[in-house]
Amino acid sequence: MEPMEEDEGVNMAQDIREALPAPSFLPVHEVIPRLTLYERVRLDSLTSINFLEFQGNPSLNICMHPERHILFKGFRILEKRIERLLTQGNTEGEDRIDAFLVFLKLGHISLLAGDYARALSAYQQAHSMAEDHFWKDSGAYHGLGIVYLHFKAYGCAIEAFNRQLYSNPTSIIASEANARLGVCYKAVKLYPDALRHFNSALNDRIEPVFLSKPHLRLNIALTHDSAGDIEKAYAECTQLLKEDIPHPNGGPLLRAAIQRELGWLCYRAVDADRCGTAEERENKLTEAERHLHDSKALVPESGKTHYYLGRCYGEQNQHRAHEAFINYRSSIDKSEADSDTWCSIGVLYHQQKQPMDALQAFICAVDLDPEHSAAWTNLGQLYEAHAQFADALSCYKNAIKFNPACPEHLKSRIIILERELALSPILAQPPNRPQGLPRHAHLVVLPALKEAGSQPIPSELRQRQDEFLKLKQQKYRDGSLLWRMGELAGVRSDPNVHHESRPLDPSQLNMLRILKYSESNLDDTCKRVLANLEHRFKREGCLDGSDLPLCKYTVSQLPSEIQAEDALRNFESLFDIDYKGDPIVKPKEEDDEDDERPTPGDDTITSTELPNAFSLLAPLKIPIDVTAAELMSQCHKRVERRHEFREMFEERIAPPSPPTPPAMKPGENLNRPTPLITVESRKDAHSIELQKFCESSPIVLIRGLTTQLKMDLSLFSTKTLLEVCPDHEVEVRSQYKMPPDLNLDHLGRPTWACDSQRSFTTIQKYAHYQADSFKHSLKEESDKLRNQGAKYGAAAESAAKRRRLMEESAMPLKMIKFGTNVDLSDDVKFKAQLTELAKMPPFCRVIAGCNLLSHLGHTVLGMNTVQLYMKVPGTRTPGHTENNCLASININIGPGDCEWFGVPYEYWGVIDKKCREQGTDFLKGAWWPNHDELIQMGVPVYRFTQKAGDMVWVGSGCVHWVQSNGWCNNVAWNVGPMTHQQLTMAVHQYEWNKLQDYKSLVPMQHLFWQIAKNVRVTNQKVYSLVRGMLIRSLAYCKMVAEWAENKHETQKPIKNQPRQKREITHYCTLCEVEVFNILFVKEVNSAFTVWCVDCARRGTIQDYIILQQIPFSELSQIFDAFQLHMISKTTLVA
Ligand SMILES: O=C(O)CCC(=O)C(=O)O
C-alpha cells in the first residue's frame, strides 16, 4: 500500500451526516436469498475484523471475491429485517438489542463490501441504539474507526480506535488499529501520539496489513519530518533503504516512496539554513535530484515525484526553469488535483514574468484548496506587484485565515494596505486608470480576483473536478457494486460442493478452532460444520495465508477463548440456517422471533490466559474481605485448574465515560458566587473547619491566610529570584493579549482554541522583560496623560494613531510572554522559599501526612513540588483540570491581580464535548472557554479576582483558567485530600486518560498500596474503595506473574528487583500506562526500557526479562494488614 497517499474518501471531517446523503435501508429488491448451512455460519462469523480479507487486496475487485455471494445474501436479509423493524417501529427492550444487532451486522457486511456510506449509517444507528453494548462486539469500534478514517474524519476515528484498544488491548487486530491511529494522529498533527502508535504497531508480532512493517517505518520517518525533525527522518529513511526488504513489502512502490522522501528532505535541507556554503547547498540539491530520479525510475507515474523534481529545478538558476515546468506539467498530468503543484507553477510563472499564467495557476491552487495559505499569499504578491492593491489585500486576508508561514509579517502588510487604501481610495482602482501612476513595461492589468476564476484554465479544471466529485458521490450513494449483482442470490455455496476441494482459508481455520474448542457444547448445525471443516483440513490443509490479510499469526496467537465464545453466542443471532442443507428462503417469521437471543456480553466466560483488559474501575466479583491467601490461590487456578477459576473482577470492560452533570434547578443562578474565606488568625488558618470547607468546595478564595501565618511572600518576588538564581530556566508561552471575556484567533474571530508558541529563557531575561513591560506601560500611561493636555505634536499624533489602529483592528495584535512552569523543586537552591511554604496549614502543604501525594515516595514534578508563574498583564493559563483531578493551591505573590474562572468537576464532560466541537482537545489542547457560552450551556461558573497575598484552593477536579490583570508572580502545587471523592475522581481520570492516550502523572496503583501501607484509614467509604483497588491490583499482578512464569514461550524465572528508595514509578515505554510491580524490561539502543504486559505480549515475549519489585509475600502482608480503624474522633486521619 502506498503510504500516506490515500485519497479515496470524501473529506467528512466537517460533518459526516451532511456531506453525504444517508443511504436508505429500505430494500428495493423483493427476493430474499437462500442461505446454506456454510453460508450462515460464515455470515455469523463475519465482522470488521475480516475487513482486509475482503478489502485488503486492491487488485482484487470485491465483485470477483470468492465469497461475494455471502455478503450479497447477508445484505439482502439484513435489509429485509431492518424493513420489518422499522415497520414495527418498536425499538425498546429486547427489540432494541435485536435492532442493534441487525444494524451492527449490516455495518460489518457493508464495510466488507466496500460500501462505506452505508456502513457508517448502520454503525451509527447501532451505536445510538445501544452504546452500552457497542463495545462488547470486538469489531464494532474497529469497523467504525475504519469508516471514519476512510472519510478522513480523523478525530472520530481516533476515538473509535482508542475505544477498541481500551476494551481489547491485545486482540489480533490491535496492530491494525495502532497503525491506523498513527495515520490519524499524524493527520491532526499530534506527532508524539502518531509515533507512539506507529511504534506500537511495529512492535506487534502480528504485522498489520494496513501498513506493513517497512511502511510503518517510512511513516515514522514522515512523522518526524512533519514534526520538524528532518535529521531523524533522513536517518530513518537512509537506514530503511539500506535494508533488504523482502517482497511484497519491499516492492518498488515502497522503495520509490523512500527515495522520494529522501529527495524532498534533501531539497528542504537546502532551504532550512542547514547548508552553510554554496558548495554544500549544491551537493544537497544534487543529492535531492538523485533520489528523486531514482524514485521516478522505480515508479514513473507518481505525480508527487515530478512535483518535487520541479521544485528542485525551480530552486536552481534560470536555465533549469524549463525542466521545472516540464516536471510540474507531468505532475499535473498524473494528478491534476494537487494544489501544491499549481501553486509552484504559479511561482515559476511569476518569476518568468508570465503574470496571466501565474494568476491562473494560483487560482487553480486556491480553487482546489481554498485554505492554501501559500497560494493566497503568492497571489496577493502577484496582485501587489501589479499595483492591484485591493485584490492583494483580499488575498492576504484569505492567506492569514489558514495557518500562514509568517502571520506577523502578513498582518503588518494587511494593516499597511488597509491604511493606505483608506487614505487614498484611488489606489483601490486598477493601475491603468488613475493618472500619474508609474507604468512599468510588465504592469499588465490582471483580471480582478472576482473574475479570475472564469479564466480558461481554472474553469476547465473546475469543471473536471466537479464531474469527478459528482461521480464519487454517486458511487457512495450506490454503495457496493455487489448489491446490484442480483444473480448472486441464487449461488449455492454448500461447503460440500463449492469449497470441498479447497484448502481452508484463514477464517475457516479460525472457525474450525473456535468450534473445536467448544465441541462439547455444539448444536447439530455447528457439529456438521465442524465435521466438514475437519474433513477438509485433513485432506487439503490450509492456505499459508501469505496473500491473505490478518492471518500472519501462529497458533498461539489465535483469538482467545473469549472471542471463541463470542462467536458462538452470535450463532443464534441473525441468520437462519438450513439443518438439512435445504436452502432457507425466508427470514424468520415474526412469531419465530422471540427465541432466546442472548444480549451481547451476557455470558459466563471461561478464563483466558490473562484478563481481556484491566481497569481499576472493573466491577468486583468477590467480597472485599477476601484474604490475600484466597486471592492468590484463585489466581493460581487460572493457570493450574482453569475450570475452577472464577473471575475476581469483570475482565471485559466498557470504556469509561464522563460524569453526568446534575440537572439544572429552576431559576438557578449559573454565575455562582465564589466562597471567599477571610482568615483572621493563625487558629483560623489551622482550623479543621477551613479544611473541611475547602475539601467539599469546587473552588475557594482565601484571604488573609498568608498574612496571619506571617509568610514572607517577597521570597518569590522577581527581585529575590533574580538574586537567588538568575540563570534558572523559565518556559515561555508567547500569547496574544486579549480581554478575559474574549478569545479570538489571529483574525479576530471568536474561538475556544488558544494559540501560543513555546520557548525557553532564564529568570534574568524574563525579569527584564517583566520590568520593561511595566516601564513601557507606565510610559504609555504618562504619555496619555500628557497628551490629554497637549493634544497635538507629531509624536503624540503618531502614537495615538498607532494605538487607534491597534484598537480598531479586529485582529489581536499585541504579543505578550508568559513565564510559566518554573520549577522550584530544588530544596537546596530554594530552601528559604520552601521553608516559608511549610508555614501553611497541613492540608495545604506540599509535604504532609494528609496529602496523598506525599505518600508516593517520589517526586512528580509540578505536583508534589512547587512551580512558579511569572506574569505581565493579560497572560493566560488555559482551561484544565489538574492531573488526575487532584486539588491544588495557588498563591498570588503580587503585586498585580489575577482573574480566575472555575467550573465544578461534574461538568467537565460538557466542556470536553465543547472542546471537540471547537476543534481542540480537553486534555492535550490549549483552550479558553467563552463565559457566556458556558452559561448558555447550563454550566455554572465561578469568577473572581485573586489579589496579592490571596490563596486559591482549587478543589478536586475543578476545571479552571486564569488570566493576570497586572504584573505578578504566582506559586502553585497540588495536594491530595484523603477523601472518597478525591480518590474516586483520581481513579476515574486515570482510566479516562488511558482511553484518551494521555499519561496519568499520578500512578494510582502504586498510590493505593502506599496508602494501605502508611495510612490508618478511618472512613468506611475510603476503606472500601482502597480495598477494592488492592484486590484488583494484587489479583492482576499475580495473574500476570503466573502467566509469565508458566507461559511456554517465556519460561524465564521472574527476577526480584526491589524498588529503591525514591525510585520513580515506571510507565510503559510504548503506551505510557503505569506498570506496577511486574516490569517487562527490554534493551533498546543500549538502554533498559520498561513495558507493560500488554505491549510486551503483543511483541515477542522472549525479548524481555521480567522483574518483580515487591514480593507477593510483602503485598499479601500489606493487603491483610489493611483494616478499617474505628477510632476516636480526635485521632482521625482520613
Ligand atoms: O497562576 C497560574 O496562572 C496557574 C494557575 C493554575 O492553573 C493552578 O494553580 O492550578
Side-chain angles (χ1 to χ4, degrees), residues 5 29 127 281 286 333 434 501 630 644 716 750 780 784 792 800 804 824 837 843 919 953 958 1004 1015 1024 1051 1079 1119:
E5 285 195 21
H29 316 282
H127 191 266
R281 193 173 173 278
T286 312
D333 287 345
S501 58
E630 287 162 351
E644 284 180 31
F716 299 93
E780 271 197 346
K784 244 194 258 171
Y792 310 102
R804 256 199 324 274
L824 302 192
L837 294 182
F843 80 99
W953 166 273
C958 175
M1004 291 307 294
V1015 181
S1024 303
Q1051 287 203 338
L1079 314 182
F1119 184 87

Side-chain angles (χ1 to χ4, degrees), residues 25 46-49 51 71 74-75 78 82 99-126 134 139-140 142-144 146-147 483 574:
F25 288 116
L46 287 180
T47 74
S48 69
I49 296 176
F51 176 69
L71 296 185
F75 178 72
L78 288 165
I82 285 172
F100 161 75
L101 288 170
V102 175
F103 275 111
L104 184 59
K105 195 71 178 182
L106 183 66
H108 290 323
I109 298 295
S110 304
L111 175 69
L112 300 186
D115 185 348
Y116 290 94
R118 202 169 258 99
L120 178 65
S121 290
Y123 280 138
Q124 287 186 331
Q125 288 268 13
F134 201 77
H142 186 69
L144 189 55
I146 292 176
V147 178
W483 307 155
L574 295 171

Side-chain angles (χ1 to χ4, degrees), residues 992-1060:
W992 177 259
N993 288 347
K994 236 193 250 178
L995 176 67
Q996 301 295 319
D997 246 330
Y998 188 74
K999 184 174 172 178
S1000 279
L1001 292 191
V1002 184
M1004 291 307 294
Q1005 282 198 71
H1006 169 66
L1007 180 60
F1008 282 118
W1009 284 101
Q1010 291 294 100
I1011 296 173
K1013 202 159 77 169
N1014 298 340
V1015 181
R1016 286 165 63 83
V1017 173
T1018 57
N1019 178 300
Q1020 172 71 55
K1021 280 166 88 181
V1022 171
Y1023 169 76
S1024 303
L1025 189 141
V1026 177
R1027 184 94 191 154
M1029 297 299 158
L1030 298 182
I1031 292 175
R1032 292 176 186 92
S1033 176
L1034 181 57
Y1036 187 63
C1037 222
K1038 178 69 177 162
M1039 289 189 278
V1040 170
E1042 293 261 349
W1043 168 81
E1045 284 198 317
N1046 289 287
K1047 184 138 180 77
H1048 58 277
E1049 299 112 293
T1050 327
Q1051 287 203 338
K1052 279 184 197 165
I1054 297 177
K1055 283 194 198 160
N1056 281 330
Q1057 175 146 311
R1059 210 175 154 264
Q1060 303 297 303

Side-chain angles (χ1 to χ4, degrees), residues 818 869 871 877 880 882 888-890 900 954 960 962 970 972:
F818 179 17
Y869 301 86
K871 306 178 178 180
T877 295
H880 64 288
E882 296 299 305
S888 71
I889 304 289
N890 183 300
W900 282 69
V954 182
H960 58 289
V962 185
N970 290 59

